[in-house]
Amino acid sequence: MRVTVLAFARLRDLLGSPRLVRDVAPGATVEGVWQAVAAEFPAAAPHRAALSAAVNARYAKFTTPVADGDEVAFLPPVSGG
């Protein structure tokens, strides 16, 4: 299955791009997508605890399954006033 990974803020910098297209195994979850990204970009791994995720622009848990063609976004914490 092929998914598009979107990254923002510091994570985008660590991945070197705001958008990656990657193949994942059938039955993969958001966590599986993250593990594949973290394996490819080890400097990103420590950021997992602070991230939220979305699948196709809807907030999702890391246990959410992904399907071929899905867009998976990893979102950093947001602050502001």
Side-chain angles (χ1 to χ4, degrees):
M1 294 188 319
R2 184 162 283 192
V3 298
T4 299
V5 177
L6 302 179
F8 301 92
R10 177 74 177 127
L11 188 56
R12 175 189 59 222
D13 296 339
L14 292 170
L15 303 185
S17 177
R19 181 183 182 103
L20 305 171
V21 176
R22 295 295 184 266
D23 291 320
V24 295
T29 62
V30 172
E31 182 67 37
V33 174
W34 172 255
Q35 291 299 324
V37 169
E40 187 175 348
F41 301 94
H47 295 271
R48 164 62 175 89
L51 295 175
S52 295
V55 175
N56 300 325
R58 297 186 72 168
Y59 281 106
K61 295 180 179 182
F62 277 74
T63 57
T64 301
V66 296
D68 187 48
D70 279 353
E71 185 176 79
V72 180
F74 293 108
L75 310 161
V78 177
S79 64

Short mmCIF file of all heavy atoms in Angstrom, two decimals:
data_model
loop_
_atom_site.label_atom_id
_atom_site.label_comp_id
_atom_site.label_asym_id
_atom_site.label_seq_id
_atom_site.Cartn_x
_atom_site.Cartn_y
_atom_site.Cartn_z
N MET A 1 0.84 -1.17 0.00
CA MET A 1 0.00 0.00 0.00
C MET A 1 0.89 1.24 0.00
O MET A 1 1.94 1.24 0.62
CB MET A 1 -0.85 0.06 1.27
CG MET A 1 -1.86 -1.01 1.43
SD MET A 1 -2.97 -0.71 2.83
CE MET A 1 -1.91 -0.11 4.12
N ARG A 2 0.42 2.24 -0.65
CA ARG A 2 1.17 3.50 -0.71
C ARG A 2 0.39 4.58 0.02
O ARG A 2 -0.81 4.75 -0.20
CB ARG A 2 1.38 3.90 -2.16
CG ARG A 2 2.24 5.14 -2.29
CD ARG A 2 2.76 5.26 -3.66
NE ARG A 2 3.85 4.30 -3.75
CZ ARG A 2 4.71 4.25 -4.74
NH1 ARG A 2 4.61 5.07 -5.74
NH2 ARG A 2 5.68 3.37 -4.75
N VAL A 3 1.07 5.29 0.95
CA VAL A 3 0.46 6.39 1.68
C VAL A 3 1.32 7.64 1.53
O VAL A 3 2.52 7.55 1.26
CB VAL A 3 0.28 6.07 3.19
CG1 VAL A 3 -0.65 4.88 3.39
CG2 VAL A 3 1.61 5.81 3.86
N THR A 4 0.70 8.77 1.69
CA THR A 4 1.41 10.05 1.70
C THR A 4 1.54 10.48 3.15
O THR A 4 0.56 10.47 3.90
CB THR A 4 0.63 11.11 0.90
OG1 THR A 4 0.51 10.65 -0.44
CG2 THR A 4 1.35 12.44 0.92
N VAL A 5 2.74 10.84 3.54
CA VAL A 5 3.02 11.29 4.91
C VAL A 5 3.25 12.80 4.86
O VAL A 5 4.06 13.28 4.08
CB VAL A 5 4.28 10.58 5.48
CG1 VAL A 5 4.61 11.10 6.86
CG2 VAL A 5 4.08 9.07 5.48
N LEU A 6 2.51 13.52 5.70
CA LEU A 6 2.68 14.96 5.82
C LEU A 6 3.35 15.26 7.16
O LEU A 6 2.98 14.69 8.18
CB LEU A 6 1.33 15.67 5.76
CG LEU A 6 0.50 15.43 4.50
CD1 LEU A 6 -0.83 16.19 4.59
CD2 LEU A 6 1.27 15.85 3.26
N ALA A 7 4.31 16.16 7.12
CA ALA A 7 5.05 16.52 8.34
C ALA A 7 5.08 18.04 8.46
O ALA A 7 5.17 18.76 7.46
CB ALA A 7 6.46 15.97 8.29
N PHE A 8 5.03 18.52 9.69
CA PHE A 8 4.96 19.95 9.95
C PHE A 8 6.02 20.36 10.97
O PHE A 8 6.50 19.54 11.76
CB PHE A 8 3.57 20.32 10.48
CG PHE A 8 2.48 19.96 9.50
CD1 PHE A 8 1.86 18.73 9.56
CD2 PHE A 8 2.12 20.84 8.50
CE1 PHE A 8 0.87 18.38 8.64
CE2 PHE A 8 1.14 20.51 7.58
CZ PHE A 8 0.51 19.28 7.66
N ALA A 9 6.36 21.65 10.95
CA ALA A 9 7.26 22.27 11.92
C ALA A 9 8.60 21.52 12.00
O ALA A 9 9.20 21.22 10.97
CB ALA A 9 6.57 22.37 13.28
N ARG A 10 9.06 21.23 13.19
CA ARG A 10 10.37 20.60 13.39
C ARG A 10 10.45 19.24 12.68
O ARG A 10 11.48 18.88 12.13
CB ARG A 10 10.66 20.45 14.88
CG ARG A 10 11.97 19.75 15.20
CD ARG A 10 13.17 20.64 14.94
NE ARG A 10 14.39 19.94 15.32
CZ ARG A 10 15.41 19.79 14.51
NH1 ARG A 10 15.40 20.31 13.31
NH2 ARG A 10 16.48 19.14 14.92
N LEU A 11 9.38 18.51 12.70
CA LEU A 11 9.37 17.20 12.05
C LEU A 11 9.63 17.35 10.55
O LEU A 11 10.38 16.58 9.96
CB LEU A 11 8.05 16.48 12.31
CG LEU A 11 7.96 15.04 11.86
CD1 LEU A 11 9.06 14.19 12.48
CD2 LEU A 11 6.60 14.47 12.21
N ARG A 12 9.04 18.34 9.93
CA ARG A 12 9.28 18.60 8.51
C ARG A 12 10.76 18.83 8.27
O ARG A 12 11.34 18.33 7.31
CB ARG A 12 8.47 19.81 8.06
CG ARG A 12 8.74 20.24 6.63
CD ARG A 12 8.08 21.56 6.29
NE ARG A 12 8.57 22.58 7.20
CZ ARG A 12 7.82 23.51 7.77
NH1 ARG A 12 6.52 23.57 7.54
NH2 ARG A 12 8.34 24.40 8.58
N ASP A 13 11.39 19.59 9.16
CA ASP A 13 12.83 19.85 9.03
C ASP A 13 13.64 18.56 9.15
O ASP A 13 14.60 18.36 8.40
CB ASP A 13 13.29 20.85 10.09
CG ASP A 13 12.65 22.22 9.93
OD1 ASP A 13 12.16 22.55 8.82
OD2 ASP A 13 12.62 22.97 10.93
N LEU A 14 13.27 17.72 10.09
CA LEU A 14 14.01 16.47 10.29
C LEU A 14 13.86 15.51 9.11
O LEU A 14 14.79 14.77 8.79
CB LEU A 14 13.54 15.78 11.58
CG LEU A 14 13.90 16.50 12.88
CD1 LEU A 14 13.18 15.86 14.05
CD2 LEU A 14 15.40 16.49 13.09
N LEU A 15 12.69 15.53 8.46
CA LEU A 15 12.46 14.65 7.33
C LEU A 15 12.98 15.25 6.02
O LEU A 15 13.09 14.55 5.02
CB LEU A 15 10.97 14.33 7.19
CG LEU A 15 10.28 13.70 8.40
CD1 LEU A 15 8.85 13.33 8.05
CD2 LEU A 15 11.03 12.52 8.94
N GLY A 16 13.25 16.53 6.05
CA GLY A 16 13.77 17.19 4.86
C GLY A 16 12.72 17.51 3.81
O GLY A 16 13.05 17.92 2.70
N SER A 17 11.46 17.31 4.16
CA SER A 17 10.37 17.55 3.21
C SER A 17 9.05 17.60 3.97
O SER A 17 8.89 16.88 4.96
CB SER A 17 10.32 16.43 2.18
OG SER A 17 9.23 16.62 1.31
N PRO A 18 8.11 18.40 3.50
CA PRO A 18 6.79 18.40 4.15
C PRO A 18 5.91 17.23 3.72
O PRO A 18 4.88 16.96 4.32
CB PRO A 18 6.17 19.72 3.70
CG PRO A 18 6.80 19.97 2.37
CD PRO A 18 8.21 19.43 2.48
N ARG A 19 6.36 16.51 2.69
CA ARG A 19 5.52 15.44 2.11
C ARG A 19 6.40 14.29 1.62
O ARG A 19 7.34 14.51 0.86
CB ARG A 19 4.75 16.05 0.95
CG ARG A 19 3.82 15.16 0.25
CD ARG A 19 3.20 15.94 -0.93
NE ARG A 19 2.26 15.14 -1.63
CZ ARG A 19 0.95 15.25 -1.52
NH1 ARG A 19 0.43 16.19 -0.76
NH2 ARG A 19 0.16 14.45 -2.18
N LEU A 20 6.07 13.10 2.06
CA LEU A 20 6.76 11.89 1.63
C LEU A 20 5.73 10.89 1.13
O LEU A 20 4.62 10.82 1.68
CB LEU A 20 7.53 11.25 2.78
CG LEU A 20 8.54 12.09 3.55
CD1 LEU A 20 9.02 11.32 4.78
CD2 LEU A 20 9.70 12.45 2.66
N VAL A 21 6.07 10.10 0.17
CA VAL A 21 5.21 9.00 -0.26
C VAL A 21 5.97 7.72 0.07
O VAL A 21 7.13 7.55 -0.34
CB VAL A 21 4.89 9.09 -1.77
CG1 VAL A 21 4.08 7.89 -2.21
CG2 VAL A 21 4.16 10.40 -2.07
N ARG A 22 5.32 6.84 0.80
CA ARG A 22 5.97 5.62 1.25
C ARG A 22 5.05 4.42 1.10
O ARG A 22 3.82 4.53 1.19
CB ARG A 22 6.39 5.73 2.73
CG ARG A 22 7.45 6.78 2.99
CD ARG A 22 8.75 6.39 2.30
NE ARG A 22 9.85 7.28 2.57
CZ ARG A 22 10.20 8.32 1.81
NH1 ARG A 22 9.49 8.64 0.75
NH2 ARG A 22 11.25 9.06 2.11
N ASP A 23 5.66 3.26 0.89
CA ASP A 23 4.92 2.00 0.85
C ASP A 23 4.90 1.41 2.25
O ASP A 23 5.93 1.43 2.95
CB ASP A 23 5.58 1.02 -0.11
CG ASP A 23 5.45 1.46 -1.56
OD1 ASP A 23 4.36 1.95 -1.93
OD2 ASP A 23 6.42 1.33 -2.32
N VAL A 24 3.74 0.91 2.66
CA VAL A 24 3.60 0.24 3.95
C VAL A 24 2.87 -1.08 3.72
O VAL A 24 2.20 -1.27 2.70
CB VAL A 24 2.83 1.11 4.98
CG1 VAL A 24 3.61 2.37 5.31
CG2 VAL A 24 1.45 1.47 4.50
N ALA A 25 3.00 -1.96 4.66
CA ALA A 25 2.39 -3.29 4.54
C ALA A 25 0.86 -3.19 4.65
O ALA A 25 0.34 -2.34 5.37
CB ALA A 25 2.92 -4.20 5.64
N PRO A 26 0.16 -4.06 3.96
CA PRO A 26 -1.29 -4.12 4.13
C PRO A 26 -1.63 -4.34 5.61
O PRO A 26 -0.93 -5.06 6.31
CB PRO A 26 -1.71 -5.33 3.30
CG PRO A 26 -0.63 -5.46 2.27
CD PRO A 26 0.64 -5.03 2.98
N GLY A 27 -2.66 -3.68 6.08
CA GLY A 27 -3.06 -3.78 7.47
C GLY A 27 -2.31 -2.85 8.39
O GLY A 27 -2.49 -2.89 9.61
N ALA A 28 -1.47 -1.98 7.83
CA ALA A 28 -0.70 -1.05 8.66
C ALA A 28 -1.61 -0.07 9.38
O ALA A 28 -2.72 0.23 8.94
CB ALA A 28 0.29 -0.28 7.79
N THR A 29 -1.11 0.43 10.49
CA THR A 29 -1.80 1.45 11.28
C THR A 29 -0.99 2.75 11.19
O THR A 29 0.13 2.75 10.66
CB THR A 29 -1.91 1.04 12.75
OG1 THR A 29 -0.58 0.91 13.27
CG2 THR A 29 -2.68 -0.27 12.93
N VAL A 30 -1.53 3.80 11.76
CA VAL A 30 -0.79 5.05 11.84
C VAL A 30 0.54 4.81 12.56
O VAL A 30 1.58 5.32 12.15
CB VAL A 30 -1.63 6.14 12.54
CG1 VAL A 30 -0.80 7.39 12.81
CG2 VAL A 30 -2.86 6.48 11.71
N GLU A 31 0.52 4.01 13.61
CA GLU A 31 1.75 3.69 14.35
C GLU A 31 2.76 3.00 13.43
O GLU A 31 3.96 3.30 13.48
CB GLU A 31 1.47 2.81 15.56
CG GLU A 31 2.69 2.47 16.38
CD GLU A 31 3.31 3.66 17.10
OE1 GLU A 31 2.57 4.54 17.57
OE2 GLU A 31 4.55 3.72 17.20
N GLY A 32 2.29 2.11 12.59
CA GLY A 32 3.19 1.44 11.65
C GLY A 32 3.81 2.41 10.66
O GLY A 32 4.99 2.29 10.31
N VAL A 33 3.02 3.37 10.21
CA VAL A 33 3.55 4.41 9.32
C VAL A 33 4.61 5.21 10.07
O VAL A 33 5.70 5.46 9.55
CB VAL A 33 2.43 5.32 8.79
CG1 VAL A 33 3.00 6.48 7.99
CG2 VAL A 33 1.43 4.52 7.95
N TRP A 34 4.30 5.58 11.32
CA TRP A 34 5.28 6.34 12.11
C TRP A 34 6.56 5.52 12.30
O TRP A 34 7.66 6.05 12.17
CB TRP A 34 4.73 6.75 13.47
CG TRP A 34 5.81 7.33 14.31
CD1 TRP A 34 6.45 6.76 15.37
CD2 TRP A 34 6.45 8.59 14.10
NE1 TRP A 34 7.44 7.57 15.83
CE2 TRP A 34 7.46 8.71 15.06
CE3 TRP A 34 6.28 9.61 13.18
CZ2 TRP A 34 8.29 9.82 15.14
CZ3 TRP A 34 7.10 10.72 13.26
CH2 TRP A 34 8.09 10.82 14.23
N GLN A 35 6.44 4.24 12.61
CA GLN A 35 7.63 3.41 12.82
C GLN A 35 8.49 3.35 11.56
O GLN A 35 9.72 3.38 11.65
CB GLN A 35 7.22 2.00 13.27
CG GLN A 35 6.63 1.96 14.66
CD GLN A 35 7.58 2.43 15.73
OE1 GLN A 35 8.78 2.20 15.67
NE2 GLN A 35 7.05 3.13 16.73
N ALA A 36 7.86 3.29 10.40
CA ALA A 36 8.61 3.28 9.15
C ALA A 36 9.34 4.61 8.95
O ALA A 36 10.50 4.63 8.53
CB ALA A 36 7.67 3.00 7.98
N VAL A 37 8.66 5.71 9.25
CA VAL A 37 9.29 7.03 9.12
C VAL A 37 10.45 7.15 10.11
O VAL A 37 11.55 7.59 9.76
CB VAL A 37 8.26 8.15 9.35
CG1 VAL A 37 8.93 9.50 9.50
CG2 VAL A 37 7.26 8.18 8.20
N ALA A 38 10.22 6.74 11.36
CA ALA A 38 11.26 6.85 12.39
C ALA A 38 12.46 5.95 12.08
O ALA A 38 13.60 6.31 12.40
CB ALA A 38 10.68 6.51 13.76
N ALA A 39 12.22 4.82 11.45
CA ALA A 39 13.33 3.94 11.07
C ALA A 39 14.18 4.59 9.98
O ALA A 39 15.41 4.46 9.98
CB ALA A 39 12.80 2.59 10.60
N GLU A 40 13.52 5.29 9.08
CA GLU A 40 14.23 5.95 7.99
C GLU A 40 14.91 7.24 8.45
O GLU A 40 15.96 7.62 7.93
CB GLU A 40 13.25 6.26 6.86
CG GLU A 40 13.90 6.80 5.62
CD GLU A 40 12.92 6.97 4.47
OE1 GLU A 40 11.77 6.47 4.54
OE2 GLU A 40 13.31 7.63 3.49
N PHE A 41 14.29 7.91 9.42
CA PHE A 41 14.79 9.19 9.94
C PHE A 41 14.90 9.10 11.46
O PHE A 41 14.03 9.59 12.18
CB PHE A 41 13.85 10.34 9.54
CG PHE A 41 13.67 10.50 8.07
CD1 PHE A 41 12.60 9.88 7.41
CD2 PHE A 41 14.56 11.25 7.32
CE1 PHE A 41 12.43 10.03 6.05
CE2 PHE A 41 14.40 11.39 5.95
CZ PHE A 41 13.33 10.78 5.31
N PRO A 42 15.94 8.45 11.99
CA PRO A 42 16.06 8.20 13.42
C PRO A 42 15.98 9.46 14.29
O PRO A 42 15.52 9.39 15.44
CB PRO A 42 17.42 7.51 13.57
CG PRO A 42 17.71 6.94 12.23
CD PRO A 42 17.05 7.85 11.24
N ALA A 43 16.39 10.60 13.78
CA ALA A 43 16.32 11.83 14.57
C ALA A 43 14.88 12.22 14.88
O ALA A 43 14.62 12.98 15.82
CB ALA A 43 17.04 12.96 13.85
N ALA A 44 13.93 11.71 14.12
CA ALA A 44 12.52 12.02 14.36
C ALA A 44 11.92 11.18 15.48
O ALA A 44 10.93 11.60 16.10
CB ALA A 44 11.72 11.79 13.08
N ALA A 45 12.49 10.03 15.76
CA ALA A 45 11.91 9.08 16.73
C ALA A 45 11.58 9.69 18.09
O ALA A 45 10.50 9.42 18.62
CB ALA A 45 12.83 7.87 16.88
N PRO A 46 12.45 10.52 18.69
CA PRO A 46 12.13 11.06 20.00
C PRO A 46 10.89 11.97 20.03
O PRO A 46 10.36 12.24 21.10
CB PRO A 46 13.38 11.85 20.38
CG PRO A 46 14.47 11.30 19.54
CD PRO A 46 13.80 10.86 18.28
N HIS A 47 10.42 12.40 18.91
CA HIS A 47 9.28 13.32 18.86
C HIS A 47 7.94 12.61 18.94
O HIS A 47 6.90 13.26 19.08
CB HIS A 47 9.36 14.18 17.59
CG HIS A 47 10.55 15.08 17.58
ND1 HIS A 47 10.53 16.33 18.11
CD2 HIS A 47 11.81 14.87 17.15
CE1 HIS A 47 11.73 16.88 17.99
NE2 HIS A 47 12.52 16.00 17.41
N ARG A 48 7.92 11.31 18.88
CA ARG A 48 6.68 10.53 18.86
C ARG A 48 5.74 10.87 20.01
O ARG A 48 4.53 11.03 19.83
CB ARG A 48 7.01 9.05 18.84
CG ARG A 48 5.88 8.08 19.19
CD ARG A 48 4.73 8.16 18.21
NE ARG A 48 3.74 7.17 18.49
CZ ARG A 48 2.71 7.32 19.31
NH1 ARG A 48 2.54 8.45 19.98
NH2 ARG A 48 1.83 6.36 19.49
N ALA A 49 6.26 11.01 21.21
CA ALA A 49 5.42 11.22 22.39
C ALA A 49 4.61 12.52 22.32
O ALA A 49 3.55 12.61 22.93
CB ALA A 49 6.27 11.21 23.65
N ALA A 50 5.09 13.49 21.57
CA ALA A 50 4.42 14.79 21.52
C ALA A 50 3.51 14.95 20.30
O ALA A 50 2.83 15.96 20.17
CB ALA A 50 5.46 15.90 21.52
N LEU A 51 3.47 13.97 19.41
CA LEU A 51 2.73 14.11 18.16
C LEU A 51 1.28 13.69 18.28
O LEU A 51 0.93 12.78 19.03
CB LEU A 51 3.38 13.26 17.07
CG LEU A 51 4.78 13.63 16.64
CD1 LEU A 51 5.29 12.60 15.63
CD2 LEU A 51 4.81 15.02 16.04
N SER A 52 0.45 14.34 17.48
CA SER A 52 -0.90 13.88 17.18
C SER A 52 -0.87 13.41 15.73
O SER A 52 0.08 13.70 15.00
CB SER A 52 -1.91 15.01 17.32
OG SER A 52 -1.98 15.46 18.64
N ALA A 53 -1.92 12.72 15.33
CA ALA A 53 -1.96 12.23 13.95
C ALA A 53 -3.33 12.48 13.34
O ALA A 53 -4.33 12.64 14.04
CB ALA A 53 -1.65 10.73 13.92
N ALA A 54 -3.34 12.50 12.03
CA ALA A 54 -4.59 12.61 11.28
C ALA A 54 -4.49 11.71 10.05
O ALA A 54 -3.40 11.53 9.49
CB ALA A 54 -4.83 14.05 10.84
N VAL A 55 -5.61 11.15 9.68
CA VAL A 55 -5.70 10.36 8.45
C VAL A 55 -6.76 11.02 7.58
O VAL A 55 -7.91 11.22 8.02
CB VAL A 55 -6.08 8.89 8.74
CG1 VAL A 55 -6.30 8.12 7.44
CG2 VAL A 55 -5.01 8.22 9.59
N ASN A 56 -6.34 11.42 6.39
CA ASN A 56 -7.24 12.09 5.46
C ASN A 56 -7.92 13.30 6.11
O ASN A 56 -9.13 13.50 6.01
CB ASN A 56 -8.26 11.12 4.87
CG ASN A 56 -7.58 10.00 4.13
OD1 ASN A 56 -6.55 10.19 3.50
ND2 ASN A 56 -8.14 8.80 4.20
N ALA A 57 -7.09 14.11 6.80
CA ALA A 57 -7.52 15.37 7.42
C ALA A 57 -8.49 15.21 8.59
O ALA A 57 -9.15 16.16 8.98
CB ALA A 57 -8.09 16.32 6.37
N ARG A 58 -8.55 14.02 9.17
CA ARG A 58 -9.36 13.80 10.37
C ARG A 58 -8.46 13.25 11.46
O ARG A 58 -7.71 12.29 11.22
CB ARG A 58 -10.48 12.80 10.08
CG ARG A 58 -11.45 13.33 9.01
CD ARG A 58 -12.59 12.42 8.85
NE ARG A 58 -13.43 12.57 10.05
CZ ARG A 58 -14.64 12.09 10.14
NH1 ARG A 58 -15.15 11.40 9.15
NH2 ARG A 58 -15.33 12.25 11.24
N TYR A 59 -8.54 13.86 12.65
CA TYR A 59 -7.71 13.37 13.75
C TYR A 59 -7.91 11.87 13.91
O TYR A 59 -9.02 11.37 13.75
CB TYR A 59 -8.05 14.08 15.06
CG TYR A 59 -7.43 15.44 15.16
CD1 TYR A 59 -8.18 16.59 15.01
CD2 TYR A 59 -6.06 15.57 15.39
CE1 TYR A 59 -7.60 17.84 15.09
CE2 TYR A 59 -5.47 16.81 15.47
CZ TYR A 59 -6.24 17.95 15.33
OH TYR A 59 -5.67 19.18 15.40
N ALA A 60 -6.80 11.19 14.21
CA ALA A 60 -6.84 9.73 14.32
C ALA A 60 -5.91 9.28 15.45
O ALA A 60 -4.93 9.95 15.76
CB ALA A 60 -6.39 9.10 13.01
N LYS A 61 -6.24 8.14 16.02
CA LYS A 61 -5.37 7.51 17.00
C LYS A 61 -4.25 6.79 16.25
O LYS A 61 -4.39 6.46 15.07
CB LYS A 61 -6.15 6.51 17.84
CG LYS A 61 -7.21 7.15 18.69
CD LYS A 61 -7.95 6.12 19.49
CE LYS A 61 -9.01 6.80 20.35
NZ LYS A 61 -9.72 5.85 21.20
N PHE A 62 -3.19 6.50 16.96
CA PHE A 62 -2.08 5.78 16.33
C PHE A 62 -2.46 4.33 16.05
O PHE A 62 -1.77 3.64 15.31
CB PHE A 62 -0.82 5.90 17.19
CG PHE A 62 -0.06 7.18 16.93
CD1 PHE A 62 -0.52 8.40 17.39
CD2 PHE A 62 1.12 7.16 16.19
CE1 PHE A 62 0.16 9.57 17.14
CE2 PHE A 62 1.81 8.34 15.93
CZ PHE A 62 1.33 9.55 16.40
N THR A 63 -3.57 3.87 16.60
CA THR A 63 -4.06 2.51 16.32
C THR A 63 -4.97 2.46 15.10
O THR A 63 -5.39 1.37 14.70
CB THR A 63 -4.82 1.96 17.54
OG1 THR A 63 -5.89 2.86 17.86
CG2 THR A 63 -3.90 1.78 18.74
N THR A 64 -5.25 3.60 14.49
CA THR A 64 -6.14 3.67 13.33
C THR A 64 -5.51 2.98 12.13
O THR A 64 -4.36 3.28 11.77
CB THR A 64 -6.45 5.14 12.99
OG1 THR A 64 -7.06 5.75 14.12
CG2 THR A 64 -7.36 5.24 11.78
N PRO A 65 -6.24 2.08 11.48
CA PRO A 65 -5.71 1.45 10.25
C PRO A 65 -5.63 2.48 9.12
O PRO A 65 -6.42 3.42 9.07
CB PRO A 65 -6.75 0.39 9.92
CG PRO A 65 -7.62 0.25 11.11
CD PRO A 65 -7.52 1.52 11.87
N VAL A 66 -4.68 2.26 8.23
CA VAL A 66 -4.58 3.10 7.04
C VAL A 66 -4.82 2.23 5.81
O VAL A 66 -4.62 1.02 5.84
CB VAL A 66 -3.21 3.81 6.95
CG1 VAL A 66 -3.03 4.78 8.10
CG2 VAL A 66 -2.06 2.83 6.91
N ALA A 67 -5.26 2.89 4.74
CA ALA A 67 -5.56 2.19 3.49
C ALA A 67 -4.72 2.78 2.36
O ALA A 67 -4.18 3.89 2.48
CB ALA A 67 -7.04 2.32 3.17
N ASP A 68 -4.64 2.05 1.29
CA ASP A 68 -3.91 2.51 0.13
C ASP A 68 -4.44 3.88 -0.30
O ASP A 68 -5.65 4.09 -0.39
CB ASP A 68 -4.08 1.51 -1.01
CG ASP A 68 -3.20 1.84 -2.20
OD1 ASP A 68 -2.00 2.09 -2.01
OD2 ASP A 68 -3.73 1.85 -3.32
N GLY A 69 -3.52 4.82 -0.52
CA GLY A 69 -3.89 6.15 -0.96
C GLY A 69 -4.18 7.13 0.15
O GLY A 69 -4.41 8.31 -0.12
N ASP A 70 -4.17 6.68 1.40
CA ASP A 70 -4.45 7.58 2.52
C ASP A 70 -3.34 8.61 2.68
O ASP A 70 -2.19 8.38 2.31
CB ASP A 70 -4.59 6.82 3.84
CG ASP A 70 -5.97 6.21 4.03
OD1 ASP A 70 -6.87 6.47 3.21
OD2 ASP A 70 -6.13 5.45 5.01
N GLU A 71 -3.72 9.73 3.29
CA GLU A 71 -2.79 10.78 3.65
C GLU A 71 -2.69 10.77 5.17
O GLU A 71 -3.70 10.93 5.86
CB GLU A 71 -3.34 12.12 3.15
CG GLU A 71 -2.43 13.28 3.34
CD GLU A 71 -3.04 14.52 2.73
OE1 GLU A 71 -3.92 15.11 3.36
OE2 GLU A 71 -2.63 14.87 1.61
N VAL A 72 -1.49 10.54 5.69
CA VAL A 72 -1.26 10.47 7.12
C VAL A 72 -0.42 11.66 7.53
O VAL A 72 0.69 11.84 7.04
CB VAL A 72 -0.54 9.15 7.49
CG1 VAL A 72 -0.30 9.08 8.99
CG2 VAL A 72 -1.33 7.94 7.02
N ALA A 73 -0.97 12.48 8.42
CA ALA A 73 -0.26 13.67 8.89
C ALA A 73 0.19 13.47 10.32
O ALA A 73 -0.57 12.96 11.15
CB ALA A 73 -1.16 14.89 8.79
N PHE A 74 1.41 13.89 10.61
CA PHE A 74 1.92 13.89 11.97
C PHE A 74 2.02 15.34 12.40
O PHE A 74 2.69 16.16 11.77
CB PHE A 74 3.26 13.17 12.03
CG PHE A 74 3.11 11.70 11.75
CD1 PHE A 74 3.56 11.15 10.56
CD2 PHE A 74 2.47 10.88 12.66
CE1 PHE A 74 3.38 9.80 10.30
CE2 PHE A 74 2.30 9.52 12.40
CZ PHE A 74 2.75 8.99 11.22
N LEU A 75 1.31 15.65 13.49
CA LEU A 75 1.10 17.03 13.91
C LEU A 75 1.81 17.30 15.24
O LEU A 75 1.54 16.62 16.22
CB LEU A 75 -0.40 17.30 14.06
CG LEU A 75 -1.24 16.87 12.84
CD1 LEU A 75 -2.69 16.74 13.23
CD2 LEU A 75 -1.04 17.85 11.72
N PRO A 76 2.64 18.31 15.27
CA PRO A 76 3.31 18.67 16.52
C PRO A 76 2.35 19.41 17.44
O PRO A 76 1.28 19.87 17.00
CB PRO A 76 4.44 19.60 16.06
CG PRO A 76 3.87 20.26 14.84
CD PRO A 76 3.02 19.19 14.17
N PRO A 77 2.72 19.55 18.71
CA PRO A 77 1.88 20.34 19.61
C PRO A 77 1.81 21.78 19.09
O PRO A 77 2.76 22.29 18.49
CB PRO A 77 2.61 20.29 20.95
CG PRO A 77 3.76 19.39 20.78
CD PRO A 77 3.90 19.04 19.35
N VAL A 78 0.69 22.42 19.33
CA VAL A 78 0.50 23.79 18.87
C VAL A 78 0.30 24.69 20.09
O VAL A 78 -0.41 24.33 21.02
CB VAL A 78 -0.75 23.88 17.96
CG1 VAL A 78 -1.00 25.32 17.53
CG2 VAL A 78 -0.58 22.98 16.75
N SER A 79 0.95 25.82 20.05
CA SER A 79 0.73 26.80 21.11
C SER A 79 0.51 28.14 20.46
O SER A 79 0.80 28.35 19.28
CB SER A 79 1.93 26.86 22.06
OG SER A 79 3.06 27.31 21.36
N GLY A 80 -0.03 29.01 21.19
CA GLY A 80 -0.29 30.35 20.65
C GLY A 80 -1.21 31.11 21.59
O GLY A 80 -1.61 30.62 22.63
N GLY A 81 -1.54 32.28 21.16
CA GLY A 81 -2.39 33.08 22.05
C GLY A 81 -3.42 33.84 21.31
O GLY A 81 -3.69 33.72 20.18
#
